[in-house]
Amino acid sequence: MWSKNHKPVLEIDPGDRVTFQIHEVTSSQITRKSTTSDIAKLDLSKFYPLAGPVRVAGARKDDALAVSILKVGTADWGWSAVTPGLGALEEFNEPFLWTWKLSKKNWVNFKNGLKVRYRPFCGVMGVAPANDVPTEVMPPGFHGGNMDIRHLTAGSRLLLPVQVDGGLFSVGDVHAAQGDGEVCVTAIECPGTVTVRIGLVKGANLEAPHYFTAPEGTVGRSYVTTGIAPDLMDACKQAIRRMIGEVTTIGGLSREEAYIFCSVAGDLRVHEIVDRPNWVVGLMIPQNSFGPVWKKLVDHRTH
Amino acid sequence: MWSKNHKPVLEIDPGDRVTFQIHEVTSSQITRKSTTSDIAKLDLSKFYPLAGPVRVAGARKDDALAVSILKVGTADWGWSAVTPGLGALEEFNEPFLWTWKLSKKNWVNFKNGLKVRYRPFCGVMGVAPANDVPTEVMPPGFHGGNMDIRHLTAGSRLLLPVQVDGGLFSVGDVHAAQGDGEVCVTAIECPGTVTVRIGLVKGANLEAPHYFTAPEGTVGRSYVTTGIAPDLMDACKQAIRRMIGEVTTIGGLSREEAYIFCSVAGDLRVHEIVDRPNWVVGLMIPQNSFGPVWKKLVDHRTH
């Protein structure tokens, strides 16, 4: 659960580097020896253990945490499952568990020669919401959280809008690999470690998380605004509006010009459609398209 | 308009190569000298002129046309516009026109140093629907049509489910560049030419277009199933179900395994959210993930 009342495990200064040890998403209810019959026995109340929270000195509402992901490591195994009642498709009525060997090379083998690119990231990164009562981890929100954005690999940088004093950053749910959408509701779930450097951007005034992707990403370095909503079209519109905001204020374009730039240079990607009730969409524009504006964007958003 | 009653301009044998000269989307109502004041005067009934139809000998319902895009060329200019009432956002109430110089190099310059990758493709490629009455070009459908899939650049291959005898392939709406989503409703619109080789896959039995992307694409060579629906979530589900179908029948996986493979290796991309009332979503899996199954997939789908 997210809560502004959780006692910080650590207080840091902006710019400090922190390494987190992270349990897999079921809190070790699934192990490398589990089988499909274990799926039905899972206690959902134990899902989403978070590492943290870390309090960042000086962080106030309207600031943003600039979280540079320096390193993500995984155990040598992981799992994926089909879980009836979860996932994008309703026609799967039988549970199914698959366990993976993670060789820490570039690829993870599946079967019949199929394989998946090894690109570990954390499915959950966020700050504590301002709510008085604890907030479930499952749906992501403007505080970030369970966004399952597969592009947040090492080398990327996530901007999180601070909601309460100190930010109270937590992290969890390591994924060894995942596609945009996470359609069956699981990625390659695994225990792992992540090292981040947490900067503070005063007065960032973000409505939702934005991010810079990693240079080694499949699409190269990019800047992404997000939309988070229970309706995919609404989420798309949010992401577009936020990018128009960036391109007008930082790039100096009119709103109409910025809208056109989003249409011809930006890619809408469905980051997740399974973390009910909120879906996450990103509007992604590559660094090269920003030309000299890229540097202004980075300076403005992460100084 | 699409119509099965349009007289073919050409009859070809499967495997023949055809070059089309293509007007821009307004039928030359916008020229390189147009200004914003011309937007309000546009006669929408003249939009979407199609080049074709081409009749493919032997094509029957349940077959697919395998359209290899060999070359796409553009004029040395193009335009984009904000058009009130169209596009993803409702808050734009004033028209705005931007004209582009297309240098035919890798990049198209915008302003303030911003630029867009030059990657021309055809926004419209399709076969005649089986309807007795003519069908508007605006919304895409299972016959393909105005899908605005930016990944269909030279080197890619589009599979179109034949609806009527001879297929009746037409093409239109050249775009010099566009992002996934085409959020303001225009890409870089321009006149152009396209050369395709049209193959015939007997008994393909596709429900919707599938495609192989170009090797020079931003994500490398990939295979993509599409979903086309008035609701984005429904379109996502369609695309996932179709990929599960491919991975089970061609890759030999169980349905549960295929669902997991889609979740960890496939990316949901919103190809367009502006061609009312139908949005197009693609589930995209890279060639490398298919391993040795890639060859089977290509053989099965394009032989």
Side-chain angles (χ1 to χ4, degrees):
Chain A
M1 302 282 259
W2 296 102
S3 170
K4 64 180 181 182
N5 298 319
H6 282 159
K7 194 178 145 117
V9 294
L10 189 68
E11 169 144 356
I12 64 168
D13 287 320
D16 280 355
R17 188 182 285 228
V18 187
T19 296
F20 298 83
Q21 299 279 352
I22 304 172
H23 293 287
E24 56 75 60
V25 68
T26 68
S27 301
S28 304
Q29 294 182 81
I30 292 184
T31 68
R32 68 182 83 215
K33 293 181 180 168
S34 296
T35 62
T36 290
S37 63
D38 295 312
I39 299 279
K41 302 173 196 159
L42 291 171
D43 177 354
L44 298 180
S45 75
K46 293 186 178 160
F47 273 46
Y48 292 114
L50 296 180
V54 171
R55 184 183 169 88
V56 182
R60 299 283 177 272
K61 187 163 168 53
D62 294 338
D63 298 344
L65 300 187
V67 182
S68 298
I69 294 103
L70 302 177
K71 193 172 174 187
V72 187
T74 67
D76 61 355
W77 71 282
W79 64 272
S80 300
V82 174
T83 308
L86 299 175
L89 302 182
E90 53 276 4
E91 64 262 39
F92 283 81
N93 300 314
E94 297 296 330
F96 175 75
L97 180 74
W98 180 267
T99 48
W100 308 83
K101 281 185 193 159
L102 305 178
S103 63
K104 314 229 173 152
K105 301 224 172 118
N106 280 336
W107 293 92
V108 184
N109 290 324
F110 196 21
K111 62 181 282 189
N112 295 359
L114 297 170
K115 54 191 177 170
V116 184
R117 178 81 71 180
Y118 177 77
R119 296 189 74 237
F121 68 98
C122 294
V124 177
M125 284 188 281
V127 291
N131 307 339
D132 287 324
V133 293
T135 306
E136 294 285 350
V137 176
M138 179 59 152
F142 297 159
H143 64 292
N146 189 24
M147 298 187 292
D148 290 317
I149 297 176
R150 79 173 190 84
H151 308 280
L152 293 174
T153 48
S156 61
R157 185 144 51 171
L158 172 64
L159 303 169
L160 289 169
V162 171
Q163 309 289 321
V164 301
D165 283 0
L168 300 179
F169 175 80
S170 296
V171 60
D173 198 15
V174 177
H175 293 165
Q178 184 205 293
D180 271 317
E182 201 192 17
V183 299
C184 87
V185 87
T186 54
I188 298 181
E189 311 287 331
C190 54
T193 61
V194 60
T195 301
V196 299
R197 188 175 51 239
I198 304 180
L200 182 62
V201 186
K202 296 300 291 180
N205 224 340
L206 292 180
E207 289 180 340
H210 294 197
Y211 65 92
F212 295 87
T213 59
E216 71 278 26
T218 51
V219 294
R221 190 173 276 278
S222 293
Y223 183 61
V224 187
T225 52
T226 67
I228 303 180
D231 176 82
L232 273 173
M233 182 61 84
D234 287 345
C236 289
K237 289 181 182 181
Q238 285 182 12
I240 299 164
R241 288 187 176 114
R242 286 171 187 143
M243 188 62 85
I244 288 173
E246 300 296 75
V247 178
T248 50
T249 58
I250 302 169
L253 264 56
S254 73
R255 293 184 66 248
E256 287 75 16
E257 289 164 348
Y259 194 19
I260 286 174
F261 186 60
C262 289
S263 192
V264 300
D267 287 326
L268 279 172
R269 285 166 163 266
V270 180
H271 291 326
E272 65 84 7
I273 51 166
V274 291
D275 297 327
R276 271 177 218 154
N278 286 347
W279 323 135
V280 179
V281 167
L283 184 68
M284 180 177 288
I285 297 186
Q287 172 177 358
N288 286 342
S289 280
F290 282 103
V293 173
W294 179 263
K295 187 175 178 309
K296 288 188 209 175
L297 185 63
V298 173
D299 287 349
H300 184 80
R301 282 299 178 203
T302 69
H303 61 84
Chain B
M1 303 282 259
W2 296 104
S3 171
K4 65 180 180 182
N5 299 319
H6 282 158
K7 195 179 143 117
V9 295
L10 189 68
E11 169 144 358
I12 63 169
D13 287 321
D16 281 356
R17 187 184 287 229
V18 186
T19 296
F20 298 83
Q21 300 279 351
I22 304 173
H23 294 287
E24 56 75 60
V25 68
T26 68
S27 302
S28 304
Q29 294 182 83
I30 292 184
T31 69
R32 67 181 84 213
K33 293 180 181 169
S34 296
T35 63
T36 289
S37 63
D38 294 314
I39 299 278
K41 302 173 196 161
L42 291 171
D43 178 353
L44 297 181
S45 74
K46 292 184 178 163
F47 273 46
Y48 291 114
L50 297 180
V54 170
R55 184 183 168 88
V56 181
R60 299 282 176 274
K61 187 161 168 51
D62 294 336
D63 298 344
L65 300 187
V67 182
S68 298
I69 294 103
L70 303 177
K71 193 174 175 187
V72 187
T74 66
D76 60 355
W77 71 283
W79 63 273
S80 299
V82 174
T83 310
L86 300 175
L89 302 182
E90 51 277 1
E91 64 263 39
F92 283 82
N93 300 313
E94 299 295 329
F96 175 75
L97 181 73
W98 179 269
T99 48
W100 308 82
K101 281 184 193 160
L102 305 178
S103 63
K104 313 226 174 154
K105 301 221 173 120
N106 280 336
W107 293 94
V108 183
N109 290 323
F110 196 21
K111 63 181 283 189
N112 297 359
L114 298 171
K115 55 192 178 171
V116 184
R117 178 80 71 180
Y118 177 76
R119 296 189 74 236
F121 68 99
C122 294
V124 178
M125 285 188 279
V127 292
N131 307 339
D132 288 323
V133 293
T135 306
E136 294 285 351
V137 176
M138 180 59 153
F142 296 158
H143 64 291
N146 190 24
M147 297 186 292
D148 290 318
I149 297 176
R150 78 173 190 84
H151 308 280
L152 293 174
T153 47
S156 60
R157 184 144 51 172
L158 172 64
L159 303 169
L160 290 168
V162 171
Q163 309 290 320
V164 301
D165 283 0
L168 301 178
F169 175 81
S170 296
V171 60
D173 198 15
V174 178
H175 292 165
Q178 184 204 294
D180 271 317
E182 200 193 18
V183 299
C184 87
V185 86
T186 54
I188 298 182
E189 311 285 330
C190 54
T193 61
V194 60
T195 301
V196 298
R197 188 175 51 238
I198 304 180
L200 183 62
V201 185
K202 297 300 291 181
N205 224 339
L206 292 179
E207 288 180 341
H210 294 196
Y211 65 92
F212 295 87
T213 59
E216 71 275 28
T218 51
V219 292
R221 190 173 278 277
S222 293
Y223 183 60
V224 187
T225 51
T226 68
I228 304 179
D231 176 81
L232 273 173
M233 183 61 84
D234 287 345
C236 289
K237 290 182 182 181
Q238 285 182 12
I240 300 163
R241 289 187 176 114
R242 285 171 187 142
M243 189 62 86
I244 288 173
E246 300 296 75
V247 178
T248 51
T249 57
I250 302 168
L253 264 56
S254 73
R255 293 184 66 251
E256 288 74 16
E257 290 164 348
Y259 193 20
I260 286 173
F261 186 60
C262 290
S263 192
V264 300
D267 287 326
L268 279 172
R269 285 167 164 264
V270 180
H271 291 327
E272 66 84 6
I273 51 166
V274 291
D275 298 327
R276 269 176 218 155
N278 287 346
W279 322 135
V280 179
V281 168
L283 183 69
M284 181 177 286
I285 297 185
Q287 172 176 359
N288 286 342
S289 280
F290 283 104
V293 174
W294 180 261
K295 187 175 178 306
K296 288 188 208 172
L297 186 63
V298 174
D299 287 349
H300 183 82
R301 282 302 180 200
T302 68
H303 61 85

